[in-house]
Amino acid sequence: MERINNRVTNIKNMISIDHSYNTKIAFLVDMRVPSGKNRFFIYDLEKNEVIDQGLVAHGSGSDTGIKGELRFSNEPNSNCTALGRYVIGKTYKGIFGKAYRLAGLESSNNNALKRAIVLHHYSAVPYEEQDYYISRSHGCPMVNEQFFKRIEKIIDSSKSNIIMDIYY
């Protein structure tokens, strides 16, 4: 929880300066948590609590071959997850169905649009926590379809853009 609280403080500081972002909800993805465990957190910024959580895949290029150790990159074609804060943008229909464009807000992830990094669901991502690693993406945060439907309701009902913070 301490790791989440540090990230939430940074998000709250950011949205207190720029009021164009959602002040009620933020998404946090803790890449130190193994991919088979819940590491995508939906956080209520007003109540200061996690209100939902689920599994999320990381990029196949982030694998190092050392258990529990990941690498990250913002480079095109790296297939890596890129760390940093993103703003969740417009929806579109892609090869996995409905997806949300992600715009990186930091130098560590500012190629997200160029890299076509999006939030989407994929059938190979399990719903329940596992004792093994789950499928990997080409750098996108990829979730189970059931969890995506809950995320989708939050994003689609939001009048302002939601921040997603991917950290390690």
Side-chain angles (χ1 to χ4, degrees), residues 69-83:
E69 216 173 281
L70 297 174
R71 76 173 134 246
F72 304 95
S73 175
N74 192 27
E75 291 302 311
N77 303 313
S78 68
N79 289 342
C80 286
T81 297
L83 300 178

Side-chain angles (χ1 to χ4, degrees), residues 39-55:
R39 62 180 178 175
F40 187 121
F41 304 101
I42 300 172
Y43 195 89
D44 184 318
L45 295 167
E46 293 176 329
K47 294 180 181 171
N48 286 314
E49 64 184 12
V50 173
I51 57 172
D52 201 356
Q53 58 189 317
L55 300 177

Side-chain angles (χ1 to χ4, degrees), residues 86-99:
Y86 295 81
V87 63
I88 299 173
K90 301 257 186 268
T91 182
Y92 74 99
K93 191 163 179 105
I95 60 171
F96 299 107
K98 187 173 184 177

Side-chain angles (χ1 to χ4, degrees), residues 13-26:
N13 289 340
M14 182 183 133
I15 61 180
S16 71
I17 295 165
D18 186 342
H19 302 290
S20 66
Y21 300 115
N22 188 307
T23 59
K24 295 182 172 102
I25 294 288

Side-chain angles (χ1 to χ4, degrees), residues 155-167:
I155 297 170
D156 291 350
S157 66
S158 178
K159 293 181 178 23
S160 52
N161 290 327
I162 295 173
I163 296 294
M164 179 170 65
D165 186 9
I166 300 178
Y167 57 97

Side-chain angles (χ1 to χ4, degrees), residues 72-158:
F72 304 95
S73 175
N74 192 27
E75 291 302 311
N77 303 313
S78 68
N79 289 342
C80 286
T81 297
L83 300 178
R85 284 176 283 200
Y86 295 81
V87 63
I88 299 173
K90 301 257 186 268
T91 182
Y92 74 99
K93 191 163 179 105
I95 60 171
F96 299 107
K98 187 173 184 177
Y100 295 92
R101 297 187 197 286
L102 298 174
L105 299 174
E106 301 178 46
S107 60
S108 60
N109 65 2
N110 60 4
N111 285 330
L113 290 171
K114 186 190 308 182
R115 293 179 61 207
I117 301 300
V118 300
L119 174 59
H120 67 89
H121 64 82
Y122 184 56
S123 60
V125 177
Y127 182 69
E128 300 285 332
E129 288 189 312
Q130 314 289 317
D131 288 329
Y132 50 87
Y133 290 97
I134 63 171
S135 62
R136 290 171 295 287
S137 70
H138 290 280
C140 298
M142 187 171 74
V143 299
N144 171 276
E145 191 169 359
Q146 287 171 270
F147 186 49
F148 185 83
K149 286 181 180 183
R150 299 197 305 267
I151 294 169
E152 175 183 37
K153 283 181 186 165
I154 293 168
I155 297 170
D156 291 350
S157 66
S158 178

